[in-house]
């Protein structure tokens, strides 16, 4: 009996910790059981995935279902059933757990749903299959009395198995209660040797649940928080450190909700730093105190990154979505971490929340932008089945896409037209801010607008009017486009009879753009607006002995203002990835 656990991830660098945990629990309960893992991405050809699943010849397949992969998984299920009639199909995960009976009615090819946490359910399901001696559908049609008896015994076992919903042989749907939550410390460590994880993010869980009740989040359903024993956590972190994993991403919903737990982990990675591994934590900034901040300040630059969900700065919105946020404390905490220049901060906003219209969102954006995070994530509300937001959709006149990921289309406060405008702004923020490739030019540009939001709004309009959207622009092209945008703004200012836009010459803008361009990498192609450096090569060699031997490891730029700068790619900033800069003349 072979049971294949299949994951379809959003990107290659991602992995699915759920299937690894289920396999480890199965191996622990049934050492002789044949449980395998297959991981793909939504960017794979589903024909290739289907082919691979077929060639693996499993007796049963279990798909891990989320909003980002459920569409592809449904397609796979439909085709898999046609070419592998003897294979039982099971599903699990948040996208199917909260309406399991309805999902089974819509997808007749699926035999059952593992609901909630699967570590307890899956081994019990394997025991049912062990007694069956194969797949249920593989035995269908057999008239042998022994086969019939095993099938009847299998149905009887399923009827007594908590944590599942399934379709009986007569087509009836049975729906059992979710299993009680697992004792987190009793679960085995899901990873073994990390073969195949060399260029991927490793996900790790030291707690489950969330103490908060955010109305858009499924974690709000279970308000309890369970922690894995700290001694286990630290030992398992040592495994990642020993293997020099590039990044370990904690999936804990609010990692610092228990100060002693967070402090112990941060102290441990400080004392056992391997100089390579980066740890990602989702935290509530307004829960942090000075002791925690001082500890974070001691970490190696780039050793830790924090994701902080602000979501909105509108007090009425915050109350309505059942959050409690001390915004002033968030500002202070983010500012202190920022001043330390050693921790990457990623701040989140959600568009489409109740009581937040376009202007309110603009204020939220400007507040968060002013905190100067390394990344500002402008996301859009996902109306998840089972969440309180889903239940309140009528009251909020909340319209959202019928297909996953169920993204907001409009609300009482924000029409679809405004959602479209914010989509354009989101793209500009990703390209020009979150990329970290335009720091000097953005700093100059923002001062020319009433606020940062208006700058990105103007950029989005420039892209729209120029037909620049929905194209794959090269990195160099983004600098050329920004150059054109600046020229256009200057022309408008001059046509209106004004002075030079912002009092900044075009040469100064071009110097800023060139510096930004070479900060990140030694470009093979030079931007069209960059001055010709050929006449200065001998001067550069006189300023930097051994320049020829350094090759692409450095770049020297002669700016319009007369300054000469060395960009040294051997001395990158561990937080931003930008080259070291030294003024030569």
């Amino acid at each position: 009996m072979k049971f294949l656990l299949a994951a379809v991830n959003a990107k290659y660098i991602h992995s699915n910790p759920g299937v690894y945990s289920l396999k480890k629990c199965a191996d622990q309960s049934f050492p002789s059981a044949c449980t395998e893992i297959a991981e793909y991405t939504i960017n794979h050809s589903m024909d290739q995935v289907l082919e691979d699943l077929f060639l693996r010849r499993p007796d049963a397949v279990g798909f891990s279902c989320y909003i980002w992969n459920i569409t592809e998984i449904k397609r796979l299920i439909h085709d898999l059933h046609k070419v592998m009639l003897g294979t039982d199909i099971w599903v699990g995960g948040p996208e199917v757990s909260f309406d399991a009976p309805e999902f089974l009615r819509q997808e007749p090819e699926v035999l059952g749903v593992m609901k909630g946490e699967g570590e307890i359910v899956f081994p019990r399901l394997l025991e049912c299959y062990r007694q069956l001696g194969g797949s249920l559908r593989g035995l269908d049609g057999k008239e042998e009395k022994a086969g019939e008896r095993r099938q009847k015994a299998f149905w009887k076992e399923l009827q007594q198995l908590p944590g599942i919903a399934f379709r009986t042989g007569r087509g009836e749907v049975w729906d059992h209660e979710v299993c009680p939550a697992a004792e987190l410390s009793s679960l085995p460590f899901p990873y073994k040797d990390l073969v195949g994880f060399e260029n991927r993010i490793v996900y790790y869980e030291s707690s489950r649940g969330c103490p908060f009740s955010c109305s858009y989040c499924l974690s709000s359903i279970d308000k309890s928080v369970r922690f894995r024993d700290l001694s286990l956590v630290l030992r398992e972190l040592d495994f990642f450190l020993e293997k020099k994993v590039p990044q370990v991403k904690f999936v804990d919903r609010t990692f610092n909700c228990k100060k002693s737990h967070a402090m112990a982990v941060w102290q441990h990675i400080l004392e056992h730093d391997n100089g390579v591994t980066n740890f990602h934590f989702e935290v509530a900034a307004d829960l942090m105190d000075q002791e925690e901040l001082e500890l974070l300040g001691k970490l190696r630059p780039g050793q830790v990154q924090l994701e902080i969900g602000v979501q909105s700065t509108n007090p009425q919105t915050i109350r309505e979505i059942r959050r409690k946020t001390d915004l002033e404390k968030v500002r202070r905490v983010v500012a202190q971490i920022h001043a330390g220049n050693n921790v990457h901060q990623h701040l989140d906003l959600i568009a489409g929340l109740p009581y937040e219209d376009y202007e309110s969102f603009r204020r939220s954006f400007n507040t968060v932008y002013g905190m100067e995070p390394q990344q500002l994530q402008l996301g859009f509300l996902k109306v998840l089945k089972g969440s309180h937001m889903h239940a309140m959709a009528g009251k909020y006149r909340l319209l959202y896409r019928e297909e996953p990921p169920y993204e907001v289309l409009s609300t009482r406060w924000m029409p679809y037209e405004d959602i479209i405008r914010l989509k354009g702004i989101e793209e500009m923020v990703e390209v020009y801010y979150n990329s970290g490739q335009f720091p000097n030019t953005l700093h100059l540009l923002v001062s020319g607008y009433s606020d940062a939001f208006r700058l990105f709004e103007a950029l989005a309009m420039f892209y729209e009017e120029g037909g620049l959207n929905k194209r794959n622009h090269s990195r160099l092209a983004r600098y050329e486009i920004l150059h054109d945008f600046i020229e256009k703004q200057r022309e408008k200012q001059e046509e209106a009879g004004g002075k030079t836009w912002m009092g900044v010459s075009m040469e100064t803008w071009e110097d800023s753009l060139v510096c930004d361009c070479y900060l990140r990498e030694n470009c093979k192609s030079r931007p069209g607006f960059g001055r010709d450096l050929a006449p200065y090569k001998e001067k550069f060699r006189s300023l930097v002995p051994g320049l020829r031997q350094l090759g692409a490891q450095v770049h020297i730029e002669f700016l319009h203002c007369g300054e000469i700068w060395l960009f040294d790619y051997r001395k990158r900033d561990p937080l931003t990835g930008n080259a070291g800069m030294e003024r030569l003349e």
Side-chain angles (χ1 to χ4, degrees):
M1 167 66 191
K2 180 195 289 188
F3 201 113
L4 183 66
L5 296 166
V8 181
N9 303 322
K11 297 179 181 178
Y12 169 75
I13 60 169
H14 297 170
S15 58
N16 185 309
V19 294
Y20 287 93
S21 184
L22 292 190
K23 175 171 169 50
K24 202 72 174 184
C25 288
D27 292 345
Q28 189 178 65
S29 300
F30 300 104
S32 60
C34 184
T35 306
E36 294 183 2
I37 290 174
E39 285 193 277
Y40 313 97
T41 79
I42 58 174
N43 298 314
H44 274 112
S45 159
M46 289 302 114
D47 289 340
Q48 292 178 333
V49 176
L50 179 65
E51 208 174 286
D52 186 66
L53 290 170
F54 178 83
L55 294 175
R56 287 173 178 266
R57 308 287 183 185
D59 295 290
V61 177
F63 289 100
S64 183
C65 302
Y66 298 86
I67 56 173
W68 64 78
N69 67 12
I70 188 64
T71 300
E72 286 77 12
I73 285 175
K74 284 182 177 179
R75 286 173 52 200
L76 283 172
I77 287 170
H78 299 160
D79 292 336
L80 188 66
H81 181 65
K82 295 173 184 176
V83 297
M84 300 175 70
L85 286 173
T87 300
D88 293 346
I89 300 174
W90 288 81
V91 294
E95 185 55 22
V96 295
S97 284
F98 293 98
D99 62 348
E102 182 60 26
F103 182 85
L104 289 173
R105 294 184 186 101
Q106 293 175 358
E107 306 297 333
E109 300 91 350
V110 177
L111 178 58
V113 178
M114 286 180 272
K115 299 164 56 175
E117 299 178 7
E119 287 94 348
I120 295 175
V121 177
F122 184 55
R124 294 179 181 176
L125 180 61
L126 285 182
E127 171 61 19
C128 294
Y129 273 110
R130 189 185 67 80
Q131 295 180 25
L132 182 65
S135 69
L136 180 69
R137 285 172 174 155
L139 292 177
D140 279 352
K142 290 188 176 181
E143 299 300 327
E144 293 92 340
K145 292 184 178 180
E148 291 178 3
R149 286 197 299 270
R150 290 202 304 273
Q151 285 188 46
K152 289 179 181 178
F154 182 77
W155 287 123
K156 187 175 180 180
E157 290 293 326
L158 287 190
Q159 290 169 10
Q160 298 175 31
L161 180 60
I164 66 167
F166 67 98
R167 189 191 321 281
T168 69
R170 297 178 180 177
E172 300 169 340
V173 172
W174 285 53
D175 184 25
H176 294 164
E177 292 293 323
V178 174
C179 281
E183 168 56 47
L184 214 54
S185 297
S186 69
L187 301 181
F189 183 55
Y191 302 107
K192 184 181 179 183
D193 51 20
L194 293 181
V195 172
F197 283 87
E198 290 80 5
N199 299 305
R200 303 170 71 197
I201 299 169
V202 174
Y203 293 89
Y204 180 73
E205 182 179 45
S206 73
S207 68
R208 278 187 189 172
C210 183
F212 303 112
S213 304
C214 305
S215 63
Y216 51 81
C217 180
L218 294 179
S219 295
S220 64
I221 295 172
D222 179 10
K223 299 177 181 61
S224 63
V225 184
R226 291 164 286 143
F227 292 87
R228 192 164 175 81
D229 184 82
L230 194 55
S231 63
L232 281 176
V233 171
L234 301 185
R235 189 161 65 244
E236 289 158 1
L237 292 185
D238 285 338
F239 173 80
F240 296 135
L241 291 165
E242 179 189 340
K243 299 293 184 183
K244 294 192 174 181
V245 174
Q247 185 178 54
V248 176
K249 189 167 185 177
F250 278 66
V251 296
D252 305 43
R253 299 306 302 166
T254 307
F255 174 74
N256 65 323
C257 65
K258 184 179 179 182
K259 178 184 173 181
S260 61
H261 183 83
M263 288 282 287
V265 169
W266 290 335
Q267 184 66 41
H268 189 80
I269 64 175
L270 170 66
E271 294 173 356
H272 299 83
D273 181 26
N274 61 12
V276 174
T277 304
N278 164 270
F279 293 90
H280 177 108
F281 304 96
E282 186 173 338
V283 300
D286 52 349
L287 294 183
M288 288 189 183
D289 62 18
Q290 190 59 32
E291 187 180 12
E292 290 170 279
L293 291 171
E294 288 176 1
L295 178 54
L296 286 171
K298 297 176 183 177
L299 295 167
R300 164 178 56 86
Q303 187 178 2
V304 159
Q305 59 189 54
L306 301 179
E307 182 174 349
I308 299 169
V310 179
Q311 319 312 9
S312 173
T313 64
N314 182 327
Q316 191 173 9
T317 297
I318 292 297
R319 285 194 299 271
E320 187 66 20
I321 63 175
R322 301 177 170 183
R323 282 179 71 87
K324 292 182 180 179
T325 303
D326 184 340
L327 184 58
E328 289 309 309
K329 186 173 181 184
V330 171
R331 286 181 200 262
R332 294 195 303 272
V333 165
V334 170
Q336 184 170 338
I337 294 173
H338 187 272
N341 198 35
N342 69 319
V343 174
H344 181 284
Q345 295 187 94
H346 174 145
L347 271 58
D348 295 338
L349 286 172
I350 297 178
L353 293 174
Y355 296 100
E356 185 113 82
D357 58 15
Y358 190 80
E359 283 303 304
S360 170
F361 189 83
R362 178 179 72 87
R363 292 190 290 272
S364 291
F365 180 94
N366 287 325
T367 298
V368 173
Y369 190 91
M371 296 181 196
E372 301 182 74
Q374 277 72 31
Q375 284 205 316
L376 196 171
Q377 180 68 47
L378 196 171
F380 291 81
L381 177 66
K382 310 295 190 295
V383 187
L384 304 179
K385 290 175 286 188
S387 69
H388 180 70
M389 187 66 70
H390 185 270
M392 297 296 286
K395 177 184 176 182
Y396 300 150
R397 295 208 297 274
L398 176 54
L399 302 180
Y400 54 93
R401 295 187 183 277
E402 291 296 318
E403 297 297 318
Y406 314 112
E407 195 169 89
V408 63
L409 293 171
S410 66
T411 71
R412 279 173 53 190
W413 305 272
M414 191 173 287
Y416 183 50
E417 181 182 10
D418 288 346
I419 294 290
I420 294 174
R421 292 166 70 190
L422 290 178
K423 285 282 184 180
I425 292 168
E426 176 201 24
E427 178 65 17
M428 294 301 97
V429 171
E430 283 296 313
V431 169
Y432 290 107
Y433 185 81
N434 288 342
S435 69
Q437 296 175 7
F438 304 83
N440 298 300
T441 309
L442 277 186
H443 183 72
L444 270 176
L445 277 171
V446 168
S447 62
Y449 290 83
S450 59
D451 55 53
F453 185 86
R454 295 303 184 203
L455 163 62
F456 292 102
E457 189 179 52
L459 276 168
M461 190 176 299
F462 181 76
Y463 265 69
E464 180 65 29
E465 292 173 349
L468 299 169
N469 289 325
K470 298 180 176 64
R471 294 188 191 176
N472 291 322
H473 299 288
S474 68
R475 178 174 176 270
L476 197 61
R478 297 292 188 180
Y479 289 92
E480 302 279 5
I481 292 170
L482 193 55
H483 181 271
D484 294 345
F485 170 79
I486 293 166
E487 280 196 317
K488 189 73 173 177
Q489 305 311 306
R490 284 169 52 82
E491 289 172 9
K492 286 181 181 179
Q493 184 78 3
E494 289 171 6
E495 288 172 4
K499 299 178 182 179
T500 302
W501 187 48
M502 295 170 56
V504 179
S505 68
M506 200 63 215
E507 288 80 8
T508 300
W509 285 113
E510 288 172 354
D511 283 349
S512 177
L513 284 164
V514 164
C515 283
D516 284 342
C517 187
Y518 284 99
L519 257 179
R520 184 54 59 90
E521 64 178 349
N522 197 344
C523 305
K524 294 179 180 178
S525 301
R526 188 158 174 78
F529 52 80
R531 67 191 303 181
D532 182 11
L533 297 180
Y536 310 104
K537 294 295 184 183
E538 288 303 319
K539 182 175 182 65
F540 292 166
R541 293 188 187 108
S542 69
L543 290 171
V544 182
L547 182 60
R548 290 180 187 273
Q549 288 71 36
L550 290 173
Q553 296 179 85
V554 299
H555 170 77
I556 301 178
E557 187 64 44
F558 193 0
L559 303 181
H560 288 97
C561 65
E563 296 176 357
I564 300 177
W565 285 88
L566 172 73
F567 295 81
D568 194 334
Y569 303 103
R570 301 166 300 173
K571 301 177 181 178
R572 291 186 181 274
D573 184 313
L575 207 58
T576 64
N578 289 337
M581 286 184 67
E582 178 186 347
R583 183 173 172 178
L584 300 178
E585 187 178 287

